[in-house]
Amino acid sequence: MSLRVLLICPGDIIDESKEFFSLHKSLKKLRSLPSLGLSSLSAILKAENHKCLIVDAFAEQLTKEQLLSRVEKFAPDFIGVTSTTPFYKMASLTCRCLKERFPNIPVILGGPHVTVMKKDALLEPSVDYGVIGEGEQTLLALLTALAKKEPIDDIPNVIHRVDGQLLMNEIVDQRLDINELPIPDRSDLPLDSYYDSLSLHGKAMSMMTTRGCPFRCLFCEADVRGGRYRAREVSLVIDEMKHIVNELGFPEIVIYDDTFTVNRKRTVAICEAILKDGLKFSWDCRTRVDCVDEELLALMKRAGCHRISFGVEAASERVREVLRKDITDEQIRNAFLWSRCVGIRTIGYFMLGTPTETKEEIEQTIKYAIELSPDIAHFCITAPYPGTDLYRMGVSMGVIPDDFWQCYVGLADEEHMDIPYFTSKGLSRQDLDKLLKKAYRDFYFRLGYIGERLTVIRSLGELWWHIKLAKELACLALL
């Protein structure tokens, strides 16, 4: 039986003047990339001869009526919606609108928020089913059973309703063999809507070569990120890169792995394969400072890597220990120095307001960022995402109530919509906000940074890149 399945990445379908949605607006200015989870699901469904369509309402900035018109035109048997925690409000409102217009079409919610919050994620009554964890196997099994009107109680990782009550089936660790998954289906995506404003070319496409992470950072949702580390075979990675570059025509790839270079031998093999096959494209990645060396970075540069992101988080070794980063000052300084030497731009990520962190330690981090001198410094106030050990620490410390995620996603009263901070007697919420503004001002509004930027411009493309960088990031210093 062939089913028609519509997969939706939700966007703003209500009044965008709401302060909560400023997060969406800021992200949309910096980059717009597709949901790789939905693309993977679509590939699986099409391999089983089902009809599948992805609607990226986020990238296309669809209105409510535009979205509903797409749904009506496709006439799906089932609708799937993905959601992260910060965008759960948009997802829930999308599900509500869908159910109001199409009451007889089952709505299935999946994504990181369902994985973390489980039954609580289905408090929105317009959602009929929830899928926990990696959805490729679970969604296919659920759709097959529903189409055949068979019981679904034995399908692992499914949330459903029985007589108005939410029931959760057995939770099973389904760590898929990602080498068995097909290349994510990008055929229905609005390819012209995807870009990275900080890229060399503007137009960019994302991909993942691994799932999971072997490290133990306090602020990371390990289960959401795929749990146990698994890597796709090098040949499959190269096949997908060729598909993106040669068939889809993208000049740049954003590698979304949590830690791309965790396996040095594999990273070398990927870079050598890119060079051997003559693939010409730019790419960037995220990794850790203890997972690179100068020789590896030089090879990555030759293979097209133009930017790399490192999570530093804090200057203080004590604070990094609280965050369980397990990295040293020497590793941090070497990673940025080596990247600069081989010609790879760097982004440094820094967190302000970690539990027990003092004002002096935060100011030390700001100075540290200036010393490291990444091309881009991203500062944020430490926020406890649901599902993380940091969130559980906040609950145990009494900083946040156990159900604060509802406030976090904007479901509670307007007066309680602030993202929680780890404040203390000597460091108030207002203090942290001021320190965040200071971090951006001190880093970007200094002659040394401006002069350094001018010296690295070698072409009109480089000049345009820096103009975009200044436009999007300087405003953060003027908040």
Side-chain angles (χ1 to χ4, degrees), residues 293-463:
D293 56 65
E294 189 169 11
E295 182 182 7
L296 178 62
L297 289 167
L299 176 60
M300 291 167 63
K301 173 65 176 178
R302 292 198 301 274
C305 179
H306 76 93
R307 186 173 69 231
I308 189 166
S309 299
F310 295 113
V312 178
E313 320 316 349
S316 165
E317 183 178 355
R318 186 195 69 81
V319 175
R320 292 199 303 269
E321 287 178 354
V322 171
L323 293 171
R324 303 200 305 242
K325 281 295 293 186
D326 300 329
I327 55 177
T328 67
D329 176 69
E330 181 181 12
Q331 290 168 334
I332 294 169
R333 292 183 183 277
N334 282 341
F336 283 91
L337 174 62
W338 292 333
S339 298
R340 188 177 302 110
C341 288
V342 303
I344 296 179
R345 291 193 177 103
T346 54
I347 298 179
Y349 288 95
F350 304 89
M351 300 170 64
L352 313 180
T354 291
T356 74
E357 189 173 24
T358 66
K359 180 180 179 182
E360 291 71 26
E361 287 171 324
I362 291 176
E363 291 176 336
Q364 181 185 355
T365 293
I366 298 172
K367 294 177 182 179
Y368 195 54
I370 294 172
E371 291 177 19
L372 295 174
S373 192
D375 293 274
I376 302 172
H378 181 274
F379 302 93
C380 69
I381 296 175
T382 303
Y385 277 87
T388 65
D389 286 342
L390 181 62
Y391 187 90
R392 288 182 278 273
M393 176 186 288
V395 173
S396 66
M397 293 171 61
V399 174
I400 53 177
D402 192 32
D403 61 351
F404 197 92
W405 73 270
Q406 295 192 34
C407 300
Y408 185 80
V409 299
L411 298 181
D413 297 335
E414 292 284 337
E415 62 191 81
H416 299 297
M417 285 179 62
D418 289 332
I419 294 175
Y421 292 171
F422 285 91
T423 57
S424 65
K425 290 183 179 179
L427 205 58
S428 68
R429 186 180 187 89
Q430 292 72 28
D431 292 332
L432 289 172
D433 285 332
K434 290 178 181 178
L435 286 166
L436 180 63
K437 296 172 186 177
K438 172 180 169 59
Y440 278 106
R441 283 196 302 267
D442 288 2
F443 187 87
Y444 287 105
F445 286 5
R446 54 189 170 92
L447 291 178
Y449 180 80
I450 296 171
E452 185 179 287
R453 294 301 92 204
L454 293 174
T455 63
V456 300
I457 296 174
R458 296 289 183 269
S459 65
L460 289 176
E462 295 262 323
L463 176 62

Side-chain angles (χ1 to χ4, degrees), residues 236-297:
L236 298 177
V237 172
I238 298 301
D239 286 344
E240 186 170 351
M241 288 177 170
K242 289 179 179 178
H243 170 69
I244 293 171
V245 175
N246 298 334
E247 297 179 33
L248 300 183
F250 282 91
E252 182 157 339
I253 294 176
V254 178
I255 297 178
Y256 251 23
D257 299 12
D258 286 326
T259 314
F260 176 63
T261 64
V262 65
N263 183 327
R264 189 184 191 282
K265 182 178 179 180
R266 176 178 178 271
T267 307
V268 168
I270 291 174
C271 292
E272 290 179 343
I274 291 172
L275 294 169
K276 180 181 178 181
D277 291 355
L279 278 172
K280 302 295 184 182
F281 67 99
S282 300
W283 53 279
D284 76 359
C285 66
R286 302 177 291 187
T287 192
R288 289 169 54 97
V289 297
D290 56 348
C291 292
V292 294
D293 56 65
E294 189 169 11
E295 182 182 7
L296 178 62
L297 289 167

